[in-house]
């Protein structure tokens, strides 16, 4: 920590928040708000004179509220930077001049009540997101009585109570009578591995080992203390972990597989009792303890949605940031030039955080070292003569890569090529064919549909599959030798968001009996949320088909991940069954109706264009 | 979060499910697990 | 220079992975009759050195300006064949892969005729697409040699130090008044049981 404060290459901005991030890989512009701490960071020498005279006391957040601090304070003794901060909400007031005692004693005159927030702009090539995690708050779990019973504490509070730098200077006591407890229980998986709406379904990864560590600390400090750990499974999977677990057991810590149903407090002794079923021994025992520690889980940072929005990141179902690829790109964010480190990506311990941070730093260095970045040629291009400036594409682009455009002034939009990731949603949504999705152009895809439907179309199922998930799911099905009917013909797009309504209608018009649009599950979309537009489009297509008297069921939608080979194979079997039920008359009717509908809309467009032309031809003075 | 009508385009199952404009959730048929779920055309019924 | 499309089709047997379940020779013959296809070849392993040499040889010999490789998934070998055609002077985006292994031979192991017909169709679709492919150039952008690290917990600290030690300017942003994050609040850390700060 100290090294960071001293390093000449590190510009440390504490008490600062990111306001905005613009730009793209290699060229980000970042706006930072450095909040006023009312103490000059360069001048303060942490002499502590101000703290002595400050009349205001507040709960000390660092000590989990177990002790008090002043309104002007040092966050904790080893803080970096080693500088005081004045909390303007705690300070005497809205009118600090009323007191000003701290400013009077400050020899270096570094307290400035008029200090303002500072806005700083940074230009960077890469961003490492290490926003960390929060700790689960077990208040909602009524059965454990946290906040109701004083002697029930969380594992974070335990850390402060046992720490030499804590409120008790390392003398471990229980809150009610300030005596060292003789019988302590640890309850595992509090807020983790839950299959009820309370808590989270995932394993928080660190709590088992943290409890084992805590048990050994207690055994070291207070030989003879009775420790009982209630658990579902002890997950000691890392290097040296099993060894520590065995040491804890040998030291006499009792491990019981089973969690208490409810905790009761004895109102006189303030001791805590609970009934626990030991699922190994098949016994039910009534326990009494002096103190209970809830081994709380890890949750995504409560304020992480800000950075998520600014960097267009996505999260997995558990709320942690999603990596680019779970195995091959575990520290790259899906947004180019952004890397993930630490618990922002998933719950992890210190060692894993450090490992991932070094990996993220190395990945960032590859980019910085090269000094240039080659952008894949699969990006969108604007055909300026066709663009009306309607800005539909601006709205749908998940990467904010399309800017400008004005429908009134007929100014076409512009594409920031470096930010474009190539999903093609813009091209699919454009009503004027004004966006050209390179390498996945309309006519390239239409030619594929034509090739499929040129011979015996009624025997084939047209399948659109996204490059990352569904196409991969099909690959996995093949790799696993899962057998399915031969009727399907795959057209690959980068994202299901590229599947234009006109592709679907064209395929039906050419005689396709059944059509499938497939893409990534919501949480896995490689283009953040481009597949949400796929759903909207398919919804509209179902409406349109129904309106035209075509069975909407002939258009199917499935999310198939690269890991779901089985789902792919099953879907193909299902589609073949559906295909067999589509009659020749139905196909012919569809072809006729869609042809008429297309010709009608083309005629309308033509007429509209002619009208516009004629308006243009009228000289201005005639209108005037 | 409001509740709206959905129809599965795969098995025909009709059901009511939650809908949030801001946080779209993946639609899955509770009966056949298909994702071919169509939003009911009509506005949701007022209770 | 004419707009004439000259497409070469390379059908891979992939040992017996493809040739064991469908008739590669029939696919090759069928491809030969498709519009703009000027040559069609069967290889034992197209991705191996001799297979790649053959692609390069045919590009020169037949003056090919489009290539279709009917083999495995592009997720497997697209970079391989893009490099291969680029070495022969063709723009890498003028090569397309027809997946007749994962999507065909392996999925229809016991349906020789069905798999063969499907493979022909897959090649036809790829040839149709290839006729409309255009050369693409990848663009290069410069990179600002400075980094932003968001969050001053253990991960942010480690990443900052690594990058700073490597000589890059690092901007470390922390919301709280001090760096350290949650780690600073821990007394000792496992597995070594030492101090966290």
């Amino acid at each position: 920590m100290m090294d960071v404060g001293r390093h000449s290459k590190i510009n440390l901005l504490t008490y600062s928040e990111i306001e905005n991030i613009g730009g793209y890989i290699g060229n980000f512009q970042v706006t930072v708000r450095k909040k006023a701490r009312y103490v000059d960071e360069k001048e303060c020498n942490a002499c502590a004179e101000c703290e002595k005279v400050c009349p205001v006391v507040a709960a000390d957040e660092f000590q989990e509220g177990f002790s008090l601090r002043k309104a002007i304070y040092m966050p904790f003794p080893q803080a970096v930077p080693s500088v005081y901060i004045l909390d303007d909400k705690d300070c005497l007031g809205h009118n600090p001049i009323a007191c000003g005692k701290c400013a009077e004693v400050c020899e270096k005159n570094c307290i400035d009540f008029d200090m303002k927030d500072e806005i700083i702009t940074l230009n960077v090539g890469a961003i490492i997101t290490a926003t960390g995690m929060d700790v689960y708050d077990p208040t909602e779990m009524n059965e454990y009585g946290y906040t109701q019973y004083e002697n029930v504490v969380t594992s974070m509070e335990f850390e402060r109570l046992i720490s030499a730098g804590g409120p008790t200077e390392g003398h471990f006591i229980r809150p009610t009578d300030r005596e060292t407890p003789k019988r302590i229980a640890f309850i595992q998986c509090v807020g983790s591995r839950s299959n009820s709406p309370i808590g989270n379904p995932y394993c928080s990864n660190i709590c088992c080992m943290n409890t084992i560590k805590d048990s050994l600390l207690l055994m070291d400090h207070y030989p003879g203390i009775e420790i009982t750990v209630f658990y579902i499974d002890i997950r000691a999977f890392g290097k040296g972990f099993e060894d520590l677990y065995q040491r804890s057991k040998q030291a006499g810590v009792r491990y019981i597989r089973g969690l208490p149903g409810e905790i009761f407090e004895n109102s006189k002794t303030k001791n805590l009792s609970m009934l626990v079923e030991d699922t190994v021994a098949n016994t039910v025992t009534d326990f009494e303890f002096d103190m209970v520690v809830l081994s709380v889980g890890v949750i995504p940072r409560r304020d992480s949605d800000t950075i998520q929005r600014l960097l267009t990141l996505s999260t997995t179902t558990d709320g942690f940031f999603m990596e680019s690829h779970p195995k091959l790109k575990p520290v790259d964010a899906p947004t180019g030039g952004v890397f993930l480190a630490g618990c922002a990506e998933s719950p992890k311990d210190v060692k894993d955080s450090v490992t991932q941070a070094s990996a993220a730093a190395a990945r960032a260095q590859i980019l910085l070292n090269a000094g240039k970045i080659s952008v894949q040629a699969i990006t969108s291009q604007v055909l300026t003569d066709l663009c009306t400036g309607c800005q539909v594409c601006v709205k749908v682009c998940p990467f904010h890569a399309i800017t400008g455009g004005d429908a009134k002034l007929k100014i076409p939009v512009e594409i920031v090529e470096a930010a474009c990731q190539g999903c093609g949603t813009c091209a699919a949504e454009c009503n004027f064919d004004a966006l050209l999705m390179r390498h996945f152009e309309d006519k390239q895809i239409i030619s594929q549909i034509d090739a499929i439907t040129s011979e015996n179309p009624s025997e084939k199922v047209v399948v659109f599959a996204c490059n990352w998930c569904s196409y991969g799911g099909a690959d996995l099905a093949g790799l696993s030798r899962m057998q399915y009917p031969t009727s399907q013909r795959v057209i690959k797009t980068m994202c299901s968001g590229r599947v234009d309504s006109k592709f679907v209608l064209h395929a039906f018009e050419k005689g396709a009996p059944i059509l499938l649009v497939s893409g990534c599950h919501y949480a896995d979309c490689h283009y953040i949320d481009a597949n949400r537009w796929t759903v909207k489009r398919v919804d509209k297509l179902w409406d349109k088909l129904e309106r035209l008297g075509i069975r909407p069921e002939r258009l199917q939608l499935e999310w198939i991940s690269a890991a779901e080979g089985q789902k792919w194979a099953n879907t193909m079997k299902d589609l073949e069954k559906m295909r067999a039920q589509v009659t020749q008359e139905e196909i012919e009717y569809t072809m006729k109706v869609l042809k008429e509908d297309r010709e009608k809309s083309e005629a309308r467009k033509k007429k509209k264009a002619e009208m516009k032309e004629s308006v243009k031809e009228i000289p201005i003075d005639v209108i005037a | 979060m409001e509740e709206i009508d959905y129809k599965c385009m795969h098995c025909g199952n009709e059901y009511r499910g939650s809908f949030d404009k801001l946080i779209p959730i993946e639609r899955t048929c509770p009966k056949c697990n298909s994702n071919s779920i169509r939003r009911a055309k009509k506005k949701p019924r007022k209770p | 220079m004419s707009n004439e499309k000259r497409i070469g089709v390379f059908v891979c047997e992939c040992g017996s992975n493809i040739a064991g379940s469908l008739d590669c020779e029939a696919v090759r013959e069928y491809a030969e009759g498709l519009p703009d296809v000027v040559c069609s070849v069967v290889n034992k392993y197209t991705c191996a050195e001799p297979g790649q040499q053959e692609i390069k040889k045919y590009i020169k010999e037949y003056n090919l300006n489009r290539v279709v490789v009917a083999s495995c998934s592009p997720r497997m070998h697209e970079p391989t064949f893009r490099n291969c055609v680029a070495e022969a002077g063709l723009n890498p985006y003028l090569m397309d892969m027809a997946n007749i292994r994962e999507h065909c031979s392996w999925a229809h192991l016991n349906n020789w005729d069905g798999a063969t017909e499907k493979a022909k169709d897959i090649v036809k679709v790829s040839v149709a697409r290839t006729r409309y492919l255009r050369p693409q150039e990848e663009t290069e952008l410069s990179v600002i040699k400075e980094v932003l690290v968001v969050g001053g917990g253990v991960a942010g600290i480690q990443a900052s130090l690594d990058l700073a030690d490597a000589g890059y300017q690092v901007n470390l942003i922390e919301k709280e008044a001090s760096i350290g994050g949650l780690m600073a609040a821990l007394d000792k850390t496992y597995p070594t049981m030492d101090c966290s700060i």
Side-chain angles (χ1 to χ4, degrees), chain A residues 278-289:
Chain A
D278 183 332
T279 56
V280 175
N282 259 334
T283 53
V284 178
T285 316
D286 204 352
F287 291 92
E288 191 182 278
F289 297 103

Side-chain angles (χ1 to χ4, degrees), chain A residues 198-315:
Chain A
I198 290 179
N200 296 301
Y202 55 84
C203 166
S204 288
N205 189 305
I206 57 173
C207 339
C208 284
M209 288 313 296
N210 194 58
T211 292
I212 291 170
K213 172 207 78 180
D214 289 346
S215 73
L216 282 166
L217 284 179
L218 282 172
M219 282 294 184
D220 278 356
H221 291 10
Y222 306 100
I225 197 166
E226 274 178 40
I227 305 173
T228 311
V229 178
F230 297 104
Y231 68 96
I232 307 176
D233 298 294
I234 290 292
R235 296 186 166 173
F237 50 83
K239 188 175 181 179
F241 288 12
E242 182 63 23
D243 181 43
L244 217 57
Y245 179 34
Q246 294 306 332
R247 260 172 67 193
S248 168
K249 276 184 162 175
Q250 278 154 18
V253 176
R254 183 162 55 157
Y255 284 84
I256 292 176
R257 200 180 79 183
L259 298 180
E262 199 171 350
I263 297 177
F264 301 96
E265 185 189 57
N266 182 320
S267 54
K268 269 194 205 137
T269 60
K270 301 289 177 191
N271 288 348
L272 303 152
S273 64
M274 55 185 89
L275 211 59
V276 184
E277 182 190 355
D278 183 332
T279 56
V280 175
N282 259 334
T283 53
V284 178
T285 316
D286 204 352
F287 291 92
E288 191 182 278
F289 297 103
D290 303 329
M291 192 171 176
V292 170
V293 180
L294 303 179
S295 190
V296 288
V298 169
I299 58 168
R301 266 197 82 93
R302 293 186 178 92
D303 56 0
S304 60
D305 51 332
T306 316
I307 193 88
Q308 183 187 345
R309 182 175 46 79
L310 292 173
L311 286 172
T312 51
L313 300 176
S314 25
T315 59

Side-chain angles (χ1 to χ4, degrees), chain A residues 126-199:
Chain A
I127 299 177
I128 292 180
T129 308
T131 46
M133 45 107 156
D134 267 322
V135 176
Y136 175 72
D137 177 357
T139 312
E140 62 177 349
M141 297 179 82
N142 286 328
E143 63 271 34
Y144 291 157
Y146 178 68
T147 64
Q148 244 174 295
Y149 311 141
E150 271 187 82
N151 290 335
V152 176
V153 299
T154 67
S155 39
M156 274 318 278
E157 289 166 345
F158 174 89
E159 290 292 338
R160 297 321 303 154
L161 289 173
I162 192 111
S163 171
T168 55
E169 293 175 338
H171 301 291
F172 187 66
I173 53 167
R174 68 174 193 169
T176 49
D177 52 12
R178 310 199 173 195
E179 294 290 326
T180 299
K182 292 184 179 63
R183 298 164 300 171
I184 301 183
F186 283 86
I187 299 173
Q188 294 306 111
C189 295
V190 176
S192 307
R193 302 183 69 191
S194 152
N195 43 23
S196 80
I198 290 179

